[in-house]
PDB file of all heavy atoms in Angstrom:
ATOM      1  N   ARG A  17    -202.750 161.843 -16.581  1.00  0.00           N
ATOM      2  CA  ARG A  17    -202.567 161.956 -15.135  1.00  0.00           C
ATOM      3  C   ARG A  17    -201.588 160.937 -14.569  1.00  0.00           C
ATOM      4  O   ARG A  17    -200.634 161.290 -13.906  1.00  0.00           O
ATOM      5  CB  ARG A  17    -203.914 161.826 -14.414  1.00  0.00           C
ATOM      6  CG  ARG A  17    -204.934 162.865 -14.788  1.00  0.00           C
ATOM      7  CD  ARG A  17    -204.505 164.312 -14.562  1.00  0.00           C
ATOM      8  NE  ARG A  17    -204.043 164.527 -13.213  1.00  0.00           N
ATOM      9  CZ  ARG A  17    -203.137 165.443 -12.865  1.00  0.00           C
ATOM     10  NH1 ARG A  17    -202.628 166.236 -13.751  1.00  0.00           N
ATOM     11  NH2 ARG A  17    -202.753 165.573 -11.620  1.00  0.00           N
ATOM     12  N   LEU A  18    -201.870 159.656 -14.773  1.00  0.00           N
ATOM     13  CA  LEU A  18    -201.088 158.616 -14.105  1.00  0.00           C
ATOM     14  C   LEU A  18    -199.645 158.545 -14.593  1.00  0.00           C
ATOM     15  O   LEU A  18    -198.724 158.404 -13.789  1.00  0.00           O
ATOM     16  CB  LEU A  18    -201.781 157.260 -14.258  1.00  0.00           C
ATOM     17  CG  LEU A  18    -203.146 157.156 -13.583  1.00  0.00           C
ATOM     18  CD1 LEU A  18    -203.856 155.874 -13.993  1.00  0.00           C
ATOM     19  CD2 LEU A  18    -203.025 157.251 -12.082  1.00  0.00           C
ATOM     20  N   GLY A  19    -199.445 158.641 -15.886  1.00  0.00           N
ATOM     21  CA  GLY A  19    -198.089 158.583 -16.442  1.00  0.00           C
ATOM     22  C   GLY A  19    -197.193 159.706 -15.931  1.00  0.00           C
ATOM     23  O   GLY A  19    -196.075 159.448 -15.477  1.00  0.00           O
ATOM     24  N   PRO A  20    -197.650 160.961 -16.000  1.00  0.00           N
ATOM     25  CA  PRO A  20    -196.817 162.051 -15.472  1.00  0.00           C
ATOM     26  C   PRO A  20    -196.523 161.909 -13.974  1.00  0.00           C
ATOM     27  O   PRO A  20    -195.405 162.209 -13.529  1.00  0.00           O
ATOM     28  CB  PRO A  20    -197.654 163.302 -15.753  1.00  0.00           C
ATOM     29  CG  PRO A  20    -198.484 162.934 -16.947  1.00  0.00           C
ATOM     30  CD  PRO A  20    -198.804 161.478 -16.745  1.00  0.00           C
ATOM     31  N   LEU A  21    -197.498 161.455 -13.206  1.00  0.00           N
ATOM     32  CA  LEU A  21    -197.247 161.241 -11.773  1.00  0.00           C
ATOM     33  C   LEU A  21    -196.256 160.101 -11.564  1.00  0.00           C
ATOM     34  O   LEU A  21    -195.379 160.177 -10.697  1.00  0.00           O
ATOM     35  CB  LEU A  21    -198.566 160.962 -11.038  1.00  0.00           C
ATOM     36  CG  LEU A  21    -199.504 162.163 -10.933  1.00  0.00           C
ATOM     37  CD1 LEU A  21    -200.900 161.724 -10.502  1.00  0.00           C
ATOM     38  CD2 LEU A  21    -198.941 163.222  -9.992  1.00  0.00           C
ATOM     39  N   GLU A  22    -196.363 159.052 -12.381  1.00  0.00           N
ATOM     40  CA  GLU A  22    -195.407 157.945 -12.309  1.00  0.00           C
ATOM     41  C   GLU A  22    -193.993 158.426 -12.646  1.00  0.00           C
ATOM     42  O   GLU A  22    -193.012 157.988 -12.039  1.00  0.00           O
ATOM     43  CB  GLU A  22    -195.823 156.807 -13.253  1.00  0.00           C
ATOM     44  CG  GLU A  22    -194.909 155.605 -13.235  1.00  0.00           C
ATOM     45  CD  GLU A  22    -194.893 154.868 -11.909  1.00  0.00           C
ATOM     46  OE1 GLU A  22    -195.841 154.990 -11.108  1.00  0.00           O
ATOM     47  OE2 GLU A  22    -193.896 154.148 -11.670  1.00  0.00           O
ATOM     48  N   ALA A  23    -193.889 159.354 -13.586  1.00  0.00           N
ATOM     49  CA  ALA A  23    -192.570 159.905 -13.943  1.00  0.00           C
ATOM     50  C   ALA A  23    -191.946 160.634 -12.755  1.00  0.00           C
ATOM     51  O   ALA A  23    -190.727 160.540 -12.526  1.00  0.00           O
ATOM     52  CB  ALA A  23    -192.704 160.842 -15.141  1.00  0.00           C
ATOM     53  N   VAL A  24    -192.758 161.349 -11.990  1.00  0.00           N
ATOM     54  CA  VAL A  24    -192.257 162.029 -10.787  1.00  0.00           C
ATOM     55  C   VAL A  24    -191.709 160.997  -9.803  1.00  0.00           C
ATOM     56  O   VAL A  24    -190.620 161.160  -9.249  1.00  0.00           O
ATOM     57  CB  VAL A  24    -193.377 162.873 -10.119  1.00  0.00           C
ATOM     58  CG1 VAL A  24    -192.941 163.385  -8.752  1.00  0.00           C
ATOM     59  CG2 VAL A  24    -193.785 164.027 -11.020  1.00  0.00           C
ATOM     60  N   LEU A  25    -192.452 159.922  -9.601  1.00  0.00           N
ATOM     61  CA  LEU A  25    -192.028 158.883  -8.654  1.00  0.00           C
ATOM     62  C   LEU A  25    -190.773 158.169  -9.145  1.00  0.00           C
ATOM     63  O   LEU A  25    -189.807 158.002  -8.385  1.00  0.00           O
ATOM     64  CB  LEU A  25    -193.162 157.879  -8.438  1.00  0.00           C
ATOM     65  CG  LEU A  25    -194.476 158.436  -7.905  1.00  0.00           C
ATOM     66  CD1 LEU A  25    -195.514 157.332  -7.810  1.00  0.00           C
ATOM     67  CD2 LEU A  25    -194.272 159.115  -6.569  1.00  0.00           C
ATOM     68  N   SER A  26    -190.778 157.758 -10.393  1.00  0.00           N
ATOM     69  CA  SER A  26    -189.638 157.020 -10.950  1.00  0.00           C
ATOM     70  C   SER A  26    -188.366 157.852 -10.941  1.00  0.00           C
ATOM     71  O   SER A  26    -187.269 157.320 -10.748  1.00  0.00           O
ATOM     72  CB  SER A  26    -189.950 156.559 -12.367  1.00  0.00           C
ATOM     73  OG  SER A  26    -191.016 155.641 -12.346  1.00  0.00           O
ATOM     74  N   SER A  27    -188.498 159.163 -11.143  1.00  0.00           N
ATOM     75  CA  SER A  27    -187.314 160.024 -11.137  1.00  0.00           C
ATOM     76  C   SER A  27    -186.684 160.093  -9.745  1.00  0.00           C
ATOM     77  O   SER A  27    -185.549 160.517  -9.597  1.00  0.00           O
ATOM     78  CB  SER A  27    -187.666 161.434 -11.617  1.00  0.00           C
ATOM     79  OG  SER A  27    -188.451 162.117 -10.653  1.00  0.00           O
ATOM     80  N   ARG A  28    -187.427 159.661  -8.738  1.00  0.00           N
ATOM     81  CA  ARG A  28    -186.924 159.630  -7.368  1.00  0.00           C
ATOM     82  C   ARG A  28    -186.569 158.208  -6.925  1.00  0.00           C
ATOM     83  O   ARG A  28    -186.453 157.930  -5.740  1.00  0.00           O
ATOM     84  CB  ARG A  28    -187.950 160.261  -6.428  1.00  0.00           C
ATOM     85  CG  ARG A  28    -188.007 161.761  -6.611  1.00  0.00           C
ATOM     86  CD  ARG A  28    -189.248 162.388  -6.000  1.00  0.00           C
ATOM     87  NE  ARG A  28    -189.149 163.846  -6.012  1.00  0.00           N
ATOM     88  CZ  ARG A  28    -189.303 164.602  -7.069  1.00  0.00           C
ATOM     89  NH1 ARG A  28    -189.542 164.048  -8.230  1.00  0.00           N
ATOM     90  NH2 ARG A  28    -189.200 165.913  -6.997  1.00  0.00           N
ATOM     91  N   GLY A  29    -186.450 157.301  -7.889  1.00  0.00           N
ATOM     92  CA  GLY A  29    -185.912 155.976  -7.609  1.00  0.00           C
ATOM     93  C   GLY A  29    -186.891 154.823  -7.520  1.00  0.00           C
ATOM     94  O   GLY A  29    -186.473 153.673  -7.541  1.00  0.00           O
ATOM     95  N   HIS A  30    -188.188 155.096  -7.403  1.00  0.00           N
ATOM     96  CA  HIS A  30    -189.165 154.010  -7.258  1.00  0.00           C
ATOM     97  C   HIS A  30    -190.473 154.409  -7.918  1.00  0.00           C
ATOM     98  O   HIS A  30    -190.960 155.511  -7.703  1.00  0.00           O
ATOM     99  CB  HIS A  30    -189.469 153.718  -5.783  1.00  0.00           C
ATOM    100  CG  HIS A  30    -188.272 153.551  -4.925  1.00  0.00           C
ATOM    101  ND1 HIS A  30    -187.588 152.360  -4.819  1.00  0.00           N
ATOM    102  CD2 HIS A  30    -187.618 154.429  -4.118  1.00  0.00           C
ATOM    103  CE1 HIS A  30    -186.574 152.509  -3.985  1.00  0.00           C
ATOM    104  NE2 HIS A  30    -186.571 153.762  -3.554  1.00  0.00           N
ATOM    105  N   GLY A  31    -191.059 153.488  -8.662  1.00  0.00           N
ATOM    106  CA  GLY A  31    -192.400 153.709  -9.189  1.00  0.00           C
ATOM    107  C   GLY A  31    -193.439 153.302  -8.156  1.00  0.00           C
ATOM    108  O   GLY A  31    -193.106 152.767  -7.090  1.00  0.00           O
ATOM    109  N   ILE A  32    -194.686 153.525  -8.475  1.00  0.00           N
ATOM    110  CA  ILE A  32    -195.773 153.223  -7.541  1.00  0.00           C
ATOM    111  C   ILE A  32    -195.858 151.730  -7.251  1.00  0.00           C
ATOM    112  O   ILE A  32    -196.214 151.324  -6.142  1.00  0.00           O
ATOM    113  CB  ILE A  32    -197.134 153.784  -8.033  1.00  0.00           C
ATOM    114  CG1 ILE A  32    -198.164 153.794  -6.895  1.00  0.00           C
ATOM    115  CG2 ILE A  32    -197.666 152.992  -9.217  1.00  0.00           C
ATOM    116  CD1 ILE A  32    -197.926 154.818  -5.835  1.00  0.00           C
ATOM    117  N   VAL A  33    -195.500 150.886  -8.222  1.00  0.00           N
ATOM    118  CA  VAL A  33    -195.571 149.436  -8.004  1.00  0.00           C
ATOM    119  C   VAL A  33    -194.608 149.020  -6.893  1.00  0.00           C
ATOM    120  O   VAL A  33    -194.909 148.111  -6.114  1.00  0.00           O
ATOM    121  CB  VAL A  33    -195.321 148.659  -9.311  1.00  0.00           C
ATOM    122  CG1 VAL A  33    -195.241 147.160  -9.066  1.00  0.00           C
ATOM    123  CG2 VAL A  33    -196.425 148.964 -10.320  1.00  0.00           C
ATOM    124  N   SER A  34    -193.479 149.689  -6.778  1.00  0.00           N
ATOM    125  CA  SER A  34    -192.552 149.386  -5.680  1.00  0.00           C
ATOM    126  C   SER A  34    -193.223 149.607  -4.330  1.00  0.00           C
ATOM    127  O   SER A  34    -193.038 148.815  -3.401  1.00  0.00           O
ATOM    128  CB  SER A  34    -191.304 150.267  -5.768  1.00  0.00           C
ATOM    129  OG  SER A  34    -190.584 149.990  -6.935  1.00  0.00           O
ATOM    130  N   LEU A  35    -193.993 150.671  -4.231  1.00  0.00           N
ATOM    131  CA  LEU A  35    -194.699 150.944  -2.980  1.00  0.00           C
ATOM    132  C   LEU A  35    -195.825 149.937  -2.771  1.00  0.00           C
ATOM    133  O   LEU A  35    -196.021 149.432  -1.664  1.00  0.00           O
ATOM    134  CB  LEU A  35    -195.249 152.370  -2.970  1.00  0.00           C
ATOM    135  CG  LEU A  35    -195.774 152.860  -1.626  1.00  0.00           C
ATOM    136  CD1 LEU A  35    -194.622 153.034  -0.631  1.00  0.00           C
ATOM    137  CD2 LEU A  35    -196.541 154.158  -1.780  1.00  0.00           C
ATOM    138  N   GLU A  36    -196.558 149.645  -3.844  1.00  0.00           N
ATOM    139  CA  GLU A  36    -197.653 148.679  -3.745  1.00  0.00           C
ATOM    140  C   GLU A  36    -197.153 147.320  -3.251  1.00  0.00           C
ATOM    141  O   GLU A  36    -197.847 146.636  -2.509  1.00  0.00           O
ATOM    142  CB  GLU A  36    -198.328 148.503  -5.108  1.00  0.00           C
ATOM    143  CG  GLU A  36    -199.100 149.703  -5.580  1.00  0.00           C
ATOM    144  CD  GLU A  36    -199.601 149.567  -7.010  1.00  0.00           C
ATOM    145  OE1 GLU A  36    -199.198 148.627  -7.723  1.00  0.00           O
ATOM    146  OE2 GLU A  36    -200.402 150.417  -7.415  1.00  0.00           O
ATOM    147  N   LEU A  37    -195.965 146.940  -3.677  1.00  0.00           N
ATOM    148  CA  LEU A  37    -195.410 145.632  -3.330  1.00  0.00           C
ATOM    149  C   LEU A  37    -194.299 145.733  -2.287  1.00  0.00           C
ATOM    150  O   LEU A  37    -193.403 144.886  -2.242  1.00  0.00           O
ATOM    151  CB  LEU A  37    -194.903 144.929  -4.596  1.00  0.00           C
ATOM    152  CG  LEU A  37    -195.967 144.627  -5.652  1.00  0.00           C
ATOM    153  CD1 LEU A  37    -195.335 144.055  -6.914  1.00  0.00           C
ATOM    154  CD2 LEU A  37    -197.030 143.685  -5.101  1.00  0.00           C
ATOM    155  N   ALA A  38    -194.352 146.736  -1.439  1.00  0.00           N
ATOM    156  CA  ALA A  38    -193.327 146.921  -0.404  1.00  0.00           C
ATOM    157  C   ALA A  38    -193.336 145.762   0.591  1.00  0.00           C
ATOM    158  O   ALA A  38    -192.280 145.319   1.048  1.00  0.00           O
ATOM    159  CB  ALA A  38    -193.545 148.247   0.322  1.00  0.00           C
ATOM    160  N   PHE A  39    -194.482 145.283   0.988  1.00  0.00           N
ATOM    161  CA  PHE A  39    -194.707 144.175   1.917  1.00  0.00           C
ATOM    162  C   PHE A  39    -194.231 144.416   3.350  1.00  0.00           C
ATOM    163  O   PHE A  39    -194.710 143.768   4.257  1.00  0.00           O
ATOM    164  CB  PHE A  39    -194.117 142.847   1.404  1.00  0.00           C
ATOM    165  CG  PHE A  39    -194.987 142.171   0.401  1.00  0.00           C
ATOM    166  CD1 PHE A  39    -194.705 142.251  -0.953  1.00  0.00           C
ATOM    167  CD2 PHE A  39    -196.103 141.458   0.795  1.00  0.00           C
ATOM    168  CE1 PHE A  39    -195.518 141.623  -1.887  1.00  0.00           C
ATOM    169  CE2 PHE A  39    -196.929 140.838  -0.124  1.00  0.00           C
ATOM    170  CZ  PHE A  39    -196.627 140.917  -1.484  1.00  0.00           C
ATOM    171  N   SER A  40    -193.289 145.305   3.577  1.00  0.00           N
ATOM    172  CA  SER A  40    -192.838 145.556   4.949  1.00  0.00           C
ATOM    173  C   SER A  40    -192.851 147.055   5.245  1.00  0.00           C
ATOM    174  O   SER A  40    -192.699 147.885   4.344  1.00  0.00           O
ATOM    175  CB  SER A  40    -191.429 145.014   5.174  1.00  0.00           C
ATOM    176  OG  SER A  40    -190.469 145.827   4.517  1.00  0.00           O
ATOM    177  N   ARG A  41    -193.006 147.356   6.498  1.00  0.00           N
ATOM    178  CA  ARG A  41    -193.015 148.744   6.941  1.00  0.00           C
ATOM    179  C   ARG A  41    -191.681 149.426   6.610  1.00  0.00           C
ATOM    180  O   ARG A  41    -191.653 150.561   6.135  1.00  0.00           O
ATOM    181  CB  ARG A  41    -193.283 148.790   8.445  1.00  0.00           C
ATOM    182  CG  ARG A  41    -193.284 150.170   9.011  1.00  0.00           C
ATOM    183  CD  ARG A  41    -193.531 150.143  10.502  1.00  0.00           C
ATOM    184  NE  ARG A  41    -193.535 151.501  11.000  1.00  0.00           N
ATOM    185  CZ  ARG A  41    -194.003 151.845  12.157  1.00  0.00           C
ATOM    186  NH1 ARG A  41    -194.485 150.934  12.974  1.00  0.00           N
ATOM    187  NH2 ARG A  41    -193.969 153.102  12.538  1.00  0.00           N
ATOM    188  N   GLY A  42    -190.578 148.716   6.847  1.00  0.00           N
ATOM    189  CA  GLY A  42    -189.254 149.284   6.577  1.00  0.00           C
ATOM    190  C   GLY A  42    -189.066 149.661   5.120  1.00  0.00           C
ATOM    191  O   GLY A  42    -188.587 150.744   4.799  1.00  0.00           O
ATOM    192  N   ARG A  43    -189.431 148.761   4.229  1.00  0.00           N
ATOM    193  CA  ARG A  43    -189.301 149.049   2.782  1.00  0.00           C
ATOM    194  C   ARG A  43    -190.221 150.200   2.395  1.00  0.00           C
ATOM    195  O   ARG A  43    -189.827 151.086   1.641  1.00  0.00           O
ATOM    196  CB  ARG A  43    -189.614 147.807   1.957  1.00  0.00           C
ATOM    197  CG  ARG A  43    -189.567 148.062   0.461  1.00  0.00           C
ATOM    198  CD  ARG A  43    -188.973 146.915  -0.301  1.00  0.00           C
ATOM    199  NE  ARG A  43    -189.165 147.063  -1.725  1.00  0.00           N
ATOM    200  CZ  ARG A  43    -188.468 147.891  -2.513  1.00  0.00           C
ATOM    201  NH1 ARG A  43    -187.523 148.636  -1.990  1.00  0.00           N
ATOM    202  NH2 ARG A  43    -188.708 147.962  -3.802  1.00  0.00           N
ATOM    203  N   PHE A  44    -191.447 150.213   2.894  1.00  0.00           N
ATOM    204  CA  PHE A  44    -192.391 151.293   2.636  1.00  0.00           C
ATOM    205  C   PHE A  44    -191.775 152.629   3.069  1.00  0.00           C
ATOM    206  O   PHE A  44    -191.787 153.602   2.306  1.00  0.00           O
ATOM    207  CB  PHE A  44    -193.702 151.021   3.396  1.00  0.00           C
ATOM    208  CG  PHE A  44    -194.823 151.966   3.062  1.00  0.00           C
ATOM    209  CD1 PHE A  44    -195.759 151.633   2.101  1.00  0.00           C
ATOM    210  CD2 PHE A  44    -194.956 153.178   3.716  1.00  0.00           C
ATOM    211  CE1 PHE A  44    -196.811 152.493   1.800  1.00  0.00           C
ATOM    212  CE2 PHE A  44    -195.995 154.046   3.426  1.00  0.00           C
ATOM    213  CZ  PHE A  44    -196.919 153.702   2.465  1.00  0.00           C
ATOM    214  N   GLU A  45    -191.231 152.677   4.257  1.00  0.00           N
ATOM    215  CA  GLU A  45    -190.646 153.921   4.784  1.00  0.00           C
ATOM    216  C   GLU A  45    -189.422 154.359   3.980  1.00  0.00           C
ATOM    217  O   GLU A  45    -189.212 155.560   3.774  1.00  0.00           O
ATOM    218  CB  GLU A  45    -190.306 153.756   6.261  1.00  0.00           C
ATOM    219  CG  GLU A  45    -191.548 153.692   7.133  1.00  0.00           C
ATOM    220  CD  GLU A  45    -191.264 153.337   8.590  1.00  0.00           C
ATOM    221  OE1 GLU A  45    -190.192 152.750   8.884  1.00  0.00           O
ATOM    222  OE2 GLU A  45    -192.136 153.650   9.434  1.00  0.00           O
ATOM    223  N   ARG A  46    -188.600 153.399   3.510  1.00  0.00           N
ATOM    224  CA  ARG A  46    -187.429 153.751   2.680  1.00  0.00           C
ATOM    225  C   ARG A  46    -187.870 154.378   1.353  1.00  0.00           C
ATOM    226  O   ARG A  46    -187.272 155.347   0.883  1.00  0.00           O
ATOM    227  CB  ARG A  46    -186.550 152.528   2.432  1.00  0.00           C
ATOM    228  CG  ARG A  46    -185.668 152.160   3.615  1.00  0.00           C
ATOM    229  CD  ARG A  46    -184.630 151.100   3.278  1.00  0.00           C
ATOM    230  NE  ARG A  46    -185.188 149.831   2.841  1.00  0.00           N
ATOM    231  CZ  ARG A  46    -185.669 148.890   3.654  1.00  0.00           C
ATOM    232  NH1 ARG A  46    -185.664 149.077   4.953  1.00  0.00           N
ATOM    233  NH2 ARG A  46    -186.136 147.756   3.165  1.00  0.00           N
ATOM    234  N   ILE A  47    -188.910 153.814   0.749  1.00  0.00           N
ATOM    235  CA  ILE A  47    -189.414 154.359  -0.525  1.00  0.00           C
ATOM    236  C   ILE A  47    -189.928 155.778  -0.308  1.00  0.00           C
ATOM    237  O   ILE A  47    -189.605 156.688  -1.084  1.00  0.00           O
ATOM    238  CB  ILE A  47    -190.507 153.442  -1.120  1.00  0.00           C
ATOM    239  CG1 ILE A  47    -189.886 152.110  -1.556  1.00  0.00           C
ATOM    240  CG2 ILE A  47    -191.220 154.122  -2.283  1.00  0.00           C
ATOM    241  CD1 ILE A  47    -190.890 151.025  -1.892  1.00  0.00           C
ATOM    242  N   ILE A  48    -190.715 155.979   0.739  1.00  0.00           N
ATOM    243  CA  ILE A  48    -191.255 157.305   1.043  1.00  0.00           C
ATOM    244  C   ILE A  48    -190.116 158.294   1.306  1.00  0.00           C
ATOM    245  O   ILE A  48    -190.158 159.440   0.843  1.00  0.00           O
ATOM    246  CB  ILE A  48    -192.214 157.237   2.263  1.00  0.00           C
ATOM    247  CG1 ILE A  48    -193.423 156.383   1.943  1.00  0.00           C
ATOM    248  CG2 ILE A  48    -192.649 158.622   2.713  1.00  0.00           C
ATOM    249  CD1 ILE A  48    -194.263 156.878   0.798  1.00  0.00           C
ATOM    250  N   ALA A  49    -189.093 157.854   2.024  1.00  0.00           N
ATOM    251  CA  ALA A  49    -187.947 158.733   2.299  1.00  0.00           C
ATOM    252  C   ALA A  49    -187.234 159.107   1.002  1.00  0.00           C
ATOM    253  O   ALA A  49    -186.849 160.266   0.809  1.00  0.00           O
ATOM    254  CB  ALA A  49    -186.985 158.047   3.268  1.00  0.00           C
TER     255      ALA A  49
END
């Protein structure tokens, strides 16, 4: 489960850890975009 979902995220430029450690609203929103 987790690895394949991580592959989807990483293929779009950011893994889940990037979101976990976003620290700011702006960075969070850029990752989501």
